[in-house]
Amino acid sequence: MIATEVTTLNRLFEDFREDSKIWIYTSNRFFTGQEVEALNAQIAVFTREWTAHDIALKATGAVLFNRFIVLTVDESQTTASGCSIDKSAGFIRGVERALEVNLFDRLTIIYEGTSGLESFHLNEIKTIIDSGNFNLNTNIFDTTVLNLGALRAGFIKEAGNSWLKRFI
């Protein structure tokens, strides 16, 4: 599953520069297949119509790993402004309401567990470490990356090579 999604990520953003700005929204639950299909269609419409001061942004996005919504803007043509970022936040808030999910909790950690992708809230990290299911070598999804190059190179990394290291 992970290899297929990484291929999708690279193909989806192939026409975008490495320094393209990204926003990653983590869902507190997995999206269903139907939800992913509908969301990808909504994201396509939103990014096609997304503007900054009435100038079209070169933008795209997708649902990845059934847990993340990723939006990207190639700012070499037009910079995403405060108003355009507010528009994207409004779009994501609409998704939250429609699907009854939380996409703005930056403390939801997604990791590769024994039975696939699993998650916990940062305030549960001691319990998850004590259970033996999470350690420095556990692959996590680093949602702190800020541009497309960093997403490609380091979205999936060992916890020991991430900001989580200080908690383990």
Side-chain angles (χ1 to χ4, degrees), residues 111-157:
Y111 68 100
E112 190 174 5
T114 54
S115 60
L117 296 187
E118 299 180 32
S119 65
F120 65 90
H121 195 273
L122 186 60
N123 64 11
E124 301 170 309
I125 195 161
K126 181 168 176 18
T127 302
I128 197 88
I129 290 169
D130 290 347
S131 74
N133 294 325
F134 192 87
N135 59 55
L136 291 171
N137 299 317
T138 302
N139 283 332
I140 62 123
F141 290 81
D142 185 356
T143 59
T144 66
V145 296
L146 299 175
N147 63 50
L148 189 53
L151 182 75
R152 288 180 175 141
F155 186 38
I156 303 168
K157 62 177 65 163

Side-chain angles (χ1 to χ4, degrees), residues 46-110:
F46 172 75
T47 56
R48 206 172 29 250
E49 297 174 352
W50 197 5
T51 62
H53 303 292
D54 296 323
I55 300 170
L57 293 169
K58 180 179 179 184
T60 193
V63 176
L64 296 176
F65 301 97
N66 290 48
R67 284 300 286 263
F68 307 97
I69 295 176
V70 177
L71 301 177
T72 187
V73 172
D74 180 342
E75 293 188 307
S76 67
Q77 296 179 8
T78 303
T79 302
S81 65
C83 292
S84 64
I85 294 168
D86 288 348
K87 289 176 192 174
S88 68
F91 169 74
I92 295 296
R93 289 278 183 217
V95 170
E96 282 187 319
R97 284 189 301 277
L99 298 181
E100 298 179 356
V101 296
N102 184 337
L103 294 165
F104 283 96
D105 185 349
R106 305 284 294 164
L107 300 178
T108 298
I109 311 302
I110 309 296

